[in-house]
Amino acid sequence: MDRMSSSMKQVSNPLPKVLSRRAGGGGPEAERESFERAQTVSINKAINAQEVAVKEKHARTCILGTHHEKGAQTFWSVVNRLPLSGNAVLCWKFCHVFHKLLRDGHSNVLKDSVRYKNELSDMSRMWGHLSEGYGQLCSIYLKLLRTKMEFHTKNPRFPGNLQMSDRQLDEAGENDVNNFFQLTVEMFDYLECELNLFQTVFSSLDMSRSVSVTAAGQCRLAPLIQVILDCSHLYDYTVKLLFKLHSCLPADTLQGHRDRFLEQFRKLKDLFYRSSNLQYFKRLIQIPQLPENPPNFLRASALSEHISPVVVIPAEASSPDSEPITDLVEMDTASQSLFDNKFDDIFGSAFSSDPFNFNSQNGMNKDDKDRLIEQLYGEIAALKEELENFKAESGRGAVQLRGRASELEAELAEQRHLKQQAQDESEFLRTELEELKKQREDTEKAQRSLTEIERRAQANEQRYSKLKEKYSELVQNHADLLRKNAEVTKQVTVARQAQGDVEREKKELEDSFQRVSEQAQRKSQEQAEVLDTLKRELAASRQELQVLQGTLESSTQAGAEQSARIASLEQERDSLSQAAERHGEEMAALRAELQQLRDTLSHEQESSKMELETLRIQLRDKESEERALQRRLAEEQFALLQGTAREAERMVQDALSHLEDPAHIGCTGSADCLLSRTLAASECVERLRDAHSKYLSDHAAVGSLLPCLALFAHLVSDTLLQGSATSHVAPMEPADRLLEMCKQCGSEAVSYLSALQDPGTVEGADCSPVMTCLGRISAIGEELRPRGLDVKQEELGDLVDKEMAATAAAIETAAARIEEMLSKARAGDTGVKLEVNERILGSCTGLMQAIHVLVLASKDLQREIVESGRGAASPKEFYAKNSRWTEGLISASKAVGWGATVMVDAADLVVQGKGTFEELMVCSREIAASTAQLVAASKVKADKDSVNLCKLQQASRGVNQATAGVVASTKAGKSQVEEKDSMDFSSMTLTQIKRQEMDSQVRVLELENQLQKERQKLGELRKKHYELAGVAEGWEEDAAD
């Protein structure tokens, strides 16, 4: 009381001042200040550095603020003070709020924001340098906002929320196909930016977890609601514009539009499907589903099948933290409360609770005044509480009414769309019917005219073919006459004594030539007349074509008959509209039934929720116990995996250390053994990869991974040691590559086993590099493997018998062919030719007999070698044990059989006069060399005192003598034939002999050059043959050993 009295003493007339202050508190400046303070608080709460979604109540306050001040000056004045370039989460939430303002704020928000477009571009480039966190998201979102501002600046008819009717969409293009074309391209660019943000957000989330229920996940997913709203409208408008463009432009011109739409359709369909499955979106927005197949723009009737996607936001859950929508009157209440707070600050709380002291104005008791004031304050508080409740209730009612209005608008739009579809379909059917009738009539007329023209063209072609044949005949006769004239002229120069007769014949020929020329001229005139006739017929055909065109024009007048058809179609349209109205009434009845079912279902859900909650509590307890047990089991299994991988790593490290050990240098190995170890290791790696994949999908499958790890370490270590041993006997360059690849394989194996021991890298561990190294080691082993070992060793014995039998058969066949050729020569040839052929074929027969004896002796010696050297083993085992000797024997047998066959072919050609004697001599010498190889191969394993070896050597000498006989008989026959064909130069003149001498010298030089080249070629061939034979028989390995 003392403080109150002192306050009253300081203020002589408190009531007028208080009234004047309250009157001044409602002025424009105070209201503006209160508005800016409230907007600043809301903007700072909406845009902050916390990784949570923007609260809907703060964003809604910002939107209402733009409508209140009819612009976004306050928003930008607050945002410019925020560190958007220093905090990615802050920038991300700014983009979300700004997107909502562009969509739902005042129309002047775009005008106030265009000036900041360059700052947004710079910020987008700055955030684009960050590849982690929100950096890329902010960069792409800022690009989208810039694209949205540019689109609405170029197309001011489009509102920020993109909601337009079909009539407004047509007016936006101003009925100009060029404007529609450009507008479609801009919508494609707009939608592309939306889809890029969509995909980037999804790719930044770990979809294997329930990210939509976490605060961080909701922070990233919340802006996608605005993106879904934009995409649904852009997709709808793009489809309608493309149908409109296809009705005005050719399909080829719009191929790029169709390709781009198809790509965006697939992306948007996938993103809508993925979004609809997230729990976060299910309670905030009803996402539409696009059709299974994209619209067919080449078929105009497909527009009637298009259904505009409608995005529905449930009224009862517009945001996870939504609150009842308050009216703009709340701003006045906030201003009043702000004024009260200022009053308290100036006059004190006690004076604010009792602002008027009436002791100095009337004679009322102080206690009565206090009770009256308290009573008034109580009534005021009750009225305020009632007013707040009324406002909250009215807000909830407004929300429900808006939701109901949205549903009714969607149903109305759907009914209108169905009606429009029916109208468009009837119009399309009528148009299509008219076009089909016209096309059928045109096709029939064109077919008749085409048939007639083809018939005439065929007749003209036949006439032209006949004329062409006659003309060719005349040309041929003329050519014959010219040839005869040339022959006659030549006879005149040779035989002058018959000049008179020749002149008469020439005169007769000239007369006949003149007659033929005149006949040709007449034929040419007839041909010209025929061409003129064809031209006249072509002109007549053109006149008929013009008549057909006139008939076609007259047929268009028959379109008037279709008016009755149009009237009937309009009646059908009216009946369809009536049916649509009846359908609407049925839908209303069904909605009433649905409401009843919903009420019943809500009661049942309440009763089941209690039971479900109890079961959930029990389930949580059991799940917690199960998770604890699974955690312990997983730890023990991983510890076991770590121990096994550690031991395997030690084994591989030990093998790598042996590669550098000097004591290991003396170890050698074969390429075949290396290939077998590499193959086993590769198969083990495949099994290890499958077991690793199973372990990653199910950690309980560690039992199948551990044996594979042990076997993997053993086989890889064995492969490394075997590769090192093989490199010690290999040439320098392959040995270095093999040793380096073994070291690399060991390093990759150690890296893989180390990755299995770390819980953070066990999922990324990959054994593919080990597989690659094993493949390269196998390739090097194939290079080092002898070329002759392509046949399995167990098949060598059978192959020896087959080759020896094939050689004997080839020799018998050659002998039979020689006998047959000899009999033919005796029957058909005579004289010197018969003598030469008999001598040559006789010597060849002797050679075949000698080779036959040699092959039999080689078989006997081979059988003796096998019997004496195999011991208790079988012949196949003996051949496999002595594989190099066996392969040499096989090669020699093949060479003998091949040489016999080639020699018989050469002899056949010589007898027929088509071959040369040199070929026969070369073949006989080649047979001698092959038999020498066979003797050498058999002599390697034979005993020096063997009787069969003596027989083989004697048979070899017989083959050499028979070969010499073939060469001698061939040379003798050649010289005999050349003596018969000696040249006679007695009738040649000096000039002719000089000419022949020069030609001979040129021929000698050419032959000497060819001889030199052939000798070089022969040397290279022999060198290459020696190399291949050495590789096939393992000479290099023998030298290395």
Side-chain angles (χ1 to χ4, degrees), residues 628-653:
L629 293 174
Q630 289 179 353
R631 194 179 304 110
R632 285 186 57 192
L633 179 61
E635 292 175 355
E636 293 177 358
Q637 288 177 347
F638 189 75
L640 185 60
L641 175 62
Q642 282 182 326
T644 306
R646 193 177 300 110
E647 291 299 325
E649 183 181 357
R650 290 176 185 172
M651 188 180 297
V652 177
Q653 289 284 7

PDB file of all heavy atoms in Angstrom, residues 628-653:
ATOM      1  N   ALA A 628      19.719 -59.331 -26.583  1.00  0.00           N
ATOM      2  CA  ALA A 628      20.919 -59.511 -25.758  1.00  0.00           C
ATOM      3  C   ALA A 628      21.608 -60.834 -26.081  1.00  0.00           C
ATOM      4  O   ALA A 628      22.837 -60.901 -26.226  1.00  0.00           O
ATOM      5  CB  ALA A 628      20.525 -59.445 -24.286  1.00  0.00           C
ATOM      6  N   LEU A 629      20.796 -61.914 -26.189  1.00  0.00           N
ATOM      7  CA  LEU A 629      21.378 -63.215 -26.539  1.00  0.00           C
ATOM      8  C   LEU A 629      22.009 -63.196 -27.925  1.00  0.00           C
ATOM      9  O   LEU A 629      23.089 -63.751 -28.146  1.00  0.00           O
ATOM     10  CB  LEU A 629      20.294 -64.289 -26.456  1.00  0.00           C
ATOM     11  CG  LEU A 629      19.749 -64.588 -25.045  1.00  0.00           C
ATOM     12  CD1 LEU A 629      18.591 -65.567 -25.135  1.00  0.00           C
ATOM     13  CD2 LEU A 629      20.851 -65.133 -24.142  1.00  0.00           C
ATOM     14  N   GLN A 630      21.316 -62.572 -28.885  1.00  0.00           N
ATOM     15  CA  GLN A 630      21.872 -62.503 -30.234  1.00  0.00           C
ATOM     16  C   GLN A 630      23.152 -61.682 -30.272  1.00  0.00           C
ATOM     17  O   GLN A 630      24.081 -61.992 -31.024  1.00  0.00           O
ATOM     18  CB  GLN A 630      20.833 -61.897 -31.185  1.00  0.00           C
ATOM     19  CG  GLN A 630      19.657 -62.821 -31.486  1.00  0.00           C
ATOM     20  CD  GLN A 630      18.642 -62.160 -32.412  1.00  0.00           C
ATOM     21  OE1 GLN A 630      18.770 -60.977 -32.714  1.00  0.00           O
ATOM     22  NE2 GLN A 630      17.642 -62.925 -32.841  1.00  0.00           N
ATOM     23  N   ARG A 631      23.216 -60.635 -29.447  1.00  0.00           N
ATOM     24  CA  ARG A 631      24.421 -59.821 -29.409  1.00  0.00           C
ATOM     25  C   ARG A 631      25.610 -60.633 -28.892  1.00  0.00           C
ATOM     26  O   ARG A 631      26.704 -60.584 -29.449  1.00  0.00           O
ATOM     27  CB  ARG A 631      24.180 -58.606 -28.524  1.00  0.00           C
ATOM     28  CG  ARG A 631      25.245 -57.524 -28.682  1.00  0.00           C
ATOM     29  CD  ARG A 631      24.926 -56.324 -27.798  1.00  0.00           C
ATOM     30  NE  ARG A 631      23.611 -55.773 -28.065  1.00  0.00           N
ATOM     31  CZ  ARG A 631      22.566 -55.847 -27.238  1.00  0.00           C
ATOM     32  NH1 ARG A 631      22.711 -56.475 -26.058  1.00  0.00           N
ATOM     33  NH2 ARG A 631      21.405 -55.328 -27.544  1.00  0.00           N
ATOM     34  N   ARG A 632      25.356 -61.422 -27.830  1.00  0.00           N
ATOM     35  CA  ARG A 632      26.443 -62.257 -27.301  1.00  0.00           C
ATOM     36  C   ARG A 632      26.882 -63.302 -28.314  1.00  0.00           C
ATOM     37  O   ARG A 632      28.072 -63.558 -28.502  1.00  0.00           O
ATOM     38  CB  ARG A 632      25.979 -62.950 -26.015  1.00  0.00           C
ATOM     39  CG  ARG A 632      25.913 -62.032 -24.796  1.00  0.00           C
ATOM     40  CD  ARG A 632      25.581 -62.830 -23.546  1.00  0.00           C
ATOM     41  NE  ARG A 632      26.564 -63.897 -23.328  1.00  0.00           N
ATOM     42  CZ  ARG A 632      26.411 -64.883 -22.460  1.00  0.00           C
ATOM     43  NH1 ARG A 632      25.310 -64.939 -21.723  1.00  0.00           N
ATOM     44  NH2 ARG A 632      27.344 -65.790 -22.322  1.00  0.00           N
ATOM     45  N   LEU A 633      25.890 -63.921 -28.996  1.00  0.00           N
ATOM     46  CA  LEU A 633      26.218 -64.934 -29.994  1.00  0.00           C
ATOM     47  C   LEU A 633      27.012 -64.327 -31.149  1.00  0.00           C
ATOM     48  O   LEU A 633      27.987 -64.918 -31.627  1.00  0.00           O
ATOM     49  CB  LEU A 633      24.921 -65.566 -30.524  1.00  0.00           C
ATOM     50  CG  LEU A 633      25.088 -66.633 -31.610  1.00  0.00           C
ATOM     51  CD1 LEU A 633      25.914 -67.801 -31.068  1.00  0.00           C
ATOM     52  CD2 LEU A 633      23.730 -67.125 -32.098  1.00  0.00           C
ATOM     53  N   ALA A 634      26.607 -63.147 -31.574  1.00  0.00           N
ATOM     54  CA  ALA A 634      27.321 -62.498 -32.683  1.00  0.00           C
ATOM     55  C   ALA A 634      28.749 -62.163 -32.281  1.00  0.00           C
ATOM     56  O   ALA A 634      29.687 -62.312 -33.077  1.00  0.00           O
ATOM     57  CB  ALA A 634      26.570 -61.231 -33.110  1.00  0.00           C
ATOM     58  N   GLU A 635      28.947 -61.703 -31.026  1.00  0.00           N
ATOM     59  CA  GLU A 635      30.301 -61.389 -30.567  1.00  0.00           C
ATOM     60  C   GLU A 635      31.174 -62.630 -30.540  1.00  0.00           C
ATOM     61  O   GLU A 635      32.339 -62.603 -30.974  1.00  0.00           O
ATOM     62  CB  GLU A 635      30.232 -60.747 -29.182  1.00  0.00           C
ATOM     63  CG  GLU A 635      29.604 -59.352 -29.187  1.00  0.00           C
ATOM     64  CD  GLU A 635      29.431 -58.801 -27.781  1.00  0.00           C
ATOM     65  OE1 GLU A 635      29.717 -59.575 -26.824  1.00  0.00           O
ATOM     66  OE2 GLU A 635      28.996 -57.641 -27.632  1.00  0.00           O
ATOM     67  N   GLU A 636      30.620 -63.746 -30.042  1.00  0.00           N
ATOM     68  CA  GLU A 636      31.407 -64.984 -29.997  1.00  0.00           C
ATOM     69  C   GLU A 636      31.726 -65.484 -31.397  1.00  0.00           C
ATOM     70  O   GLU A 636      32.844 -65.944 -31.679  1.00  0.00           O
ATOM     71  CB  GLU A 636      30.641 -66.045 -29.204  1.00  0.00           C
ATOM     72  CG  GLU A 636      30.493 -65.707 -27.723  1.00  0.00           C
ATOM     73  CD  GLU A 636      29.654 -66.749 -26.997  1.00  0.00           C
ATOM     74  OE1 GLU A 636      29.182 -67.690 -27.676  1.00  0.00           O
ATOM     75  OE2 GLU A 636      29.481 -66.633 -25.772  1.00  0.00           O
ATOM     76  N   GLN A 637      30.731 -65.407 -32.300  1.00  0.00           N
ATOM     77  CA  GLN A 637      30.977 -65.857 -33.678  1.00  0.00           C
ATOM     78  C   GLN A 637      32.032 -64.997 -34.358  1.00  0.00           C
ATOM     79  O   GLN A 637      32.907 -65.520 -35.064  1.00  0.00           O
ATOM     80  CB  GLN A 637      29.673 -65.812 -34.473  1.00  0.00           C
ATOM     81  CG  GLN A 637      28.671 -66.886 -34.081  1.00  0.00           C
ATOM     82  CD  GLN A 637      27.375 -66.754 -34.843  1.00  0.00           C
ATOM     83  OE1 GLN A 637      27.116 -65.740 -35.478  1.00  0.00           O
ATOM     84  NE2 GLN A 637      26.536 -67.787 -34.765  1.00  0.00           N
ATOM     85  N   PHE A 638      31.992 -63.706 -34.119  1.00  0.00           N
ATOM     86  CA  PHE A 638      32.981 -62.851 -34.754  1.00  0.00           C
ATOM     87  C   PHE A 638      34.363 -63.073 -34.161  1.00  0.00           C
ATOM     88  O   PHE A 638      35.381 -62.984 -34.860  1.00  0.00           O
ATOM     89  CB  PHE A 638      32.572 -61.383 -34.613  1.00  0.00           C
ATOM     90  CG  PHE A 638      33.420 -60.455 -35.426  1.00  0.00           C
ATOM     91  CD1 PHE A 638      33.253 -60.384 -36.805  1.00  0.00           C
ATOM     92  CD2 PHE A 638      34.380 -59.674 -34.832  1.00  0.00           C
ATOM     93  CE1 PHE A 638      34.042 -59.537 -37.567  1.00  0.00           C
ATOM     94  CE2 PHE A 638      35.171 -58.824 -35.581  1.00  0.00           C
ATOM     95  CZ  PHE A 638      34.992 -58.759 -36.962  1.00  0.00           C
ATOM     96  N   ALA A 639      34.414 -63.358 -32.853  1.00  0.00           N
ATOM     97  CA  ALA A 639      35.718 -63.670 -32.243  1.00  0.00           C
ATOM     98  C   ALA A 639      36.306 -64.935 -32.868  1.00  0.00           C
ATOM     99  O   ALA A 639      37.515 -65.012 -33.149  1.00  0.00           O
ATOM    100  CB  ALA A 639      35.549 -63.842 -30.734  1.00  0.00           C
ATOM    101  N   LEU A 640      35.452 -65.934 -33.122  1.00  0.00           N
ATOM    102  CA  LEU A 640      35.911 -67.149 -33.782  1.00  0.00           C
ATOM    103  C   LEU A 640      36.398 -66.857 -35.202  1.00  0.00           C
ATOM    104  O   LEU A 640      37.427 -67.384 -35.656  1.00  0.00           O
ATOM    105  CB  LEU A 640      34.759 -68.168 -33.813  1.00  0.00           C
ATOM    106  CG  LEU A 640      35.086 -69.557 -34.371  1.00  0.00           C
ATOM    107  CD1 LEU A 640      36.179 -70.218 -33.537  1.00  0.00           C
ATOM    108  CD2 LEU A 640      33.823 -70.425 -34.357  1.00  0.00           C
ATOM    109  N   LEU A 641      35.657 -65.980 -35.915  1.00  0.00           N
ATOM    110  CA  LEU A 641      36.071 -65.604 -37.267  1.00  0.00           C
ATOM    111  C   LEU A 641      37.396 -64.853 -37.242  1.00  0.00           C
ATOM    112  O   LEU A 641      38.278 -65.083 -38.093  1.00  0.00           O
ATOM    113  CB  LEU A 641      34.986 -64.732 -37.906  1.00  0.00           C
ATOM    114  CG  LEU A 641      35.301 -64.152 -39.290  1.00  0.00           C
ATOM    115  CD1 LEU A 641      35.515 -65.265 -40.293  1.00  0.00           C
ATOM    116  CD2 LEU A 641      34.174 -63.227 -39.753  1.00  0.00           C
ATOM    117  N   GLN A 642      37.592 -63.975 -36.237  1.00  0.00           N
ATOM    118  CA  GLN A 642      38.855 -63.248 -36.130  1.00  0.00           C
ATOM    119  C   GLN A 642      40.026 -64.195 -35.903  1.00  0.00           C
ATOM    120  O   GLN A 642      41.083 -64.055 -36.526  1.00  0.00           O
ATOM    121  CB  GLN A 642      38.772 -62.234 -34.994  1.00  0.00           C
ATOM    122  CG  GLN A 642      38.001 -60.963 -35.334  1.00  0.00           C
ATOM    123  CD  GLN A 642      38.003 -59.977 -34.172  1.00  0.00           C
ATOM    124  OE1 GLN A 642      37.981 -60.405 -33.020  1.00  0.00           O
ATOM    125  NE2 GLN A 642      37.998 -58.700 -34.471  1.00  0.00           N
ATOM    126  N   GLY A 643      39.840 -65.188 -35.009  1.00  0.00           N
ATOM    127  CA  GLY A 643      40.921 -66.132 -34.742  1.00  0.00           C
ATOM    128  C   GLY A 643      41.291 -66.932 -35.981  1.00  0.00           C
ATOM    129  O   GLY A 643      42.468 -67.111 -36.299  1.00  0.00           O
ATOM    130  N   THR A 644      40.274 -67.426 -36.701  1.00  0.00           N
ATOM    131  CA  THR A 644      40.554 -68.207 -37.913  1.00  0.00           C
ATOM    132  C   THR A 644      41.243 -67.357 -38.969  1.00  0.00           C
ATOM    133  O   THR A 644      42.205 -67.791 -39.620  1.00  0.00           O
ATOM    134  CB  THR A 644      39.233 -68.768 -38.471  1.00  0.00           C
ATOM    135  OG1 THR A 644      38.556 -69.500 -37.447  1.00  0.00           O
ATOM    136  CG2 THR A 644      39.502 -69.690 -39.642  1.00  0.00           C
ATOM    137  N   ALA A 645      40.768 -66.143 -39.173  1.00  0.00           N
ATOM    138  CA  ALA A 645      41.379 -65.257 -40.164  1.00  0.00           C
ATOM    139  C   ALA A 645      42.804 -64.893 -39.771  1.00  0.00           C
ATOM    140  O   ALA A 645      43.690 -64.767 -40.629  1.00  0.00           O
ATOM    141  CB  ALA A 645      40.529 -63.984 -40.325  1.00  0.00           C
ATOM    142  N   ARG A 646      43.060 -64.742 -38.462  1.00  0.00           N
ATOM    143  CA  ARG A 646      44.415 -64.412 -38.003  1.00  0.00           C
ATOM    144  C   ARG A 646      45.378 -65.559 -38.294  1.00  0.00           C
ATOM    145  O   ARG A 646      46.500 -65.344 -38.772  1.00  0.00           O
ATOM    146  CB  ARG A 646      44.367 -64.095 -36.517  1.00  0.00           C
ATOM    147  CG  ARG A 646      45.635 -63.442 -35.992  1.00  0.00           C
ATOM    148  CD  ARG A 646      45.511 -63.087 -34.520  1.00  0.00           C
ATOM    149  NE  ARG A 646      44.426 -62.159 -34.274  1.00  0.00           N
ATOM    150  CZ  ARG A 646      43.292 -62.462 -33.653  1.00  0.00           C
ATOM    151  NH1 ARG A 646      43.124 -63.703 -33.173  1.00  0.00           N
ATOM    152  NH2 ARG A 646      42.341 -61.560 -33.479  1.00  0.00           N
ATOM    153  N   GLU A 647      44.937 -66.806 -38.025  1.00  0.00           N
ATOM    154  CA  GLU A 647      45.793 -67.958 -38.313  1.00  0.00           C
ATOM    155  C   GLU A 647      46.014 -68.106 -39.817  1.00  0.00           C
ATOM    156  O   GLU A 647      47.116 -68.434 -40.277  1.00  0.00           O
ATOM    157  CB  GLU A 647      45.156 -69.236 -37.745  1.00  0.00           C
ATOM    158  CG  GLU A 647      45.134 -69.293 -36.234  1.00  0.00           C
ATOM    159  CD  GLU A 647      46.536 -69.259 -35.641  1.00  0.00           C
ATOM    160  OE1 GLU A 647      47.455 -69.824 -36.270  1.00  0.00           O
ATOM    161  OE2 GLU A 647      46.711 -68.682 -34.549  1.00  0.00           O
ATOM    162  N   ALA A 648      44.973 -67.881 -40.608  1.00  0.00           N
ATOM    163  CA  ALA A 648      45.124 -67.962 -42.062  1.00  0.00           C
ATOM    164  C   ALA A 648      46.090 -66.901 -42.574  1.00  0.00           C
ATOM    165  O   ALA A 648      46.911 -67.158 -43.464  1.00  0.00           O
ATOM    166  CB  ALA A 648      43.755 -67.790 -42.732  1.00  0.00           C
ATOM    167  N   GLU A 649      46.027 -65.706 -41.987  1.00  0.00           N
ATOM    168  CA  GLU A 649      46.954 -64.642 -42.394  1.00  0.00           C
ATOM    169  C   GLU A 649      48.397 -65.028 -42.061  1.00  0.00           C
ATOM    170  O   GLU A 649      49.322 -64.771 -42.843  1.00  0.00           O
ATOM    171  CB  GLU A 649      46.566 -63.347 -41.691  1.00  0.00           C
ATOM    172  CG  GLU A 649      47.421 -62.158 -42.099  1.00  0.00           C
ATOM    173  CD  GLU A 649      47.020 -60.898 -41.368  1.00  0.00           C
ATOM    174  OE1 GLU A 649      46.028 -60.941 -40.588  1.00  0.00           O
ATOM    175  OE2 GLU A 649      47.688 -59.865 -41.566  1.00  0.00           O
ATOM    176  N   ARG A 650      48.616 -65.649 -40.907  1.00  0.00           N
ATOM    177  CA  ARG A 650      49.968 -66.101 -40.549  1.00  0.00           C
ATOM    178  C   ARG A 650      50.484 -67.130 -41.546  1.00  0.00           C
ATOM    179  O   ARG A 650      51.648 -67.108 -41.935  1.00  0.00           O
ATOM    180  CB  ARG A 650      49.964 -66.697 -39.143  1.00  0.00           C
ATOM    181  CG  ARG A 650      49.759 -65.669 -38.036  1.00  0.00           C
ATOM    182  CD  ARG A 650      49.664 -66.351 -36.684  1.00  0.00           C
ATOM    183  NE  ARG A 650      49.359 -65.390 -35.618  1.00  0.00           N
ATOM    184  CZ  ARG A 650      49.078 -65.730 -34.370  1.00  0.00           C
ATOM    185  NH1 ARG A 650      49.072 -67.031 -34.030  1.00  0.00           N
ATOM    186  NH2 ARG A 650      48.815 -64.806 -33.469  1.00  0.00           N
ATOM    187  N   MET A 651      49.597 -68.023 -41.996  1.00  0.00           N
ATOM    188  CA  MET A 651      50.012 -69.056 -42.943  1.00  0.00           C
ATOM    189  C   MET A 651      50.447 -68.428 -44.271  1.00  0.00           C
ATOM    190  O   MET A 651      51.472 -68.787 -44.854  1.00  0.00           O
ATOM    191  CB  MET A 651      48.852 -70.036 -43.164  1.00  0.00           C
ATOM    192  CG  MET A 651      49.223 -71.262 -43.981  1.00  0.00           C
ATOM    193  SD  MET A 651      47.813 -72.366 -44.214  1.00  0.00           S
ATOM    194  CE  MET A 651      47.500 -72.811 -42.514  1.00  0.00           C
ATOM    195  N   VAL A 652      49.663 -67.456 -44.767  1.00  0.00           N
ATOM    196  CA  VAL A 652      50.018 -66.804 -46.028  1.00  0.00           C
ATOM    197  C   VAL A 652      51.288 -65.977 -45.867  1.00  0.00           C
ATOM    198  O   VAL A 652      52.145 -65.921 -46.763  1.00  0.00           O
ATOM    199  CB  VAL A 652      48.831 -65.934 -46.511  1.00  0.00           C
ATOM    200  CG1 VAL A 652      49.196 -65.188 -47.781  1.00  0.00           C
ATOM    201  CG2 VAL A 652      47.593 -66.795 -46.759  1.00  0.00           C
ATOM    202  N   GLN A 653      51.450 -65.289 -44.708  1.00  0.00           N
ATOM    203  CA  GLN A 653      52.666 -64.519 -44.460  1.00  0.00           C
ATOM    204  C   GLN A 653      53.896 -65.432 -44.446  1.00  0.00           C
ATOM    205  O   GLN A 653      54.964 -65.064 -44.949  1.00  0.00           O
ATOM    206  CB  GLN A 653      52.539 -63.785 -43.115  1.00  0.00           C
ATOM    207  CG  GLN A 653      51.550 -62.635 -43.111  1.00  0.00           C
ATOM    208  CD  GLN A 653      52.117 -61.398 -43.806  1.00  0.00           C
ATOM    209  OE1 GLN A 653      53.188 -61.448 -44.398  1.00  0.00           O
ATOM    210  NE2 GLN A 653      51.378 -60.304 -43.740  1.00  0.00           N
TER     211      GLN A 653
END
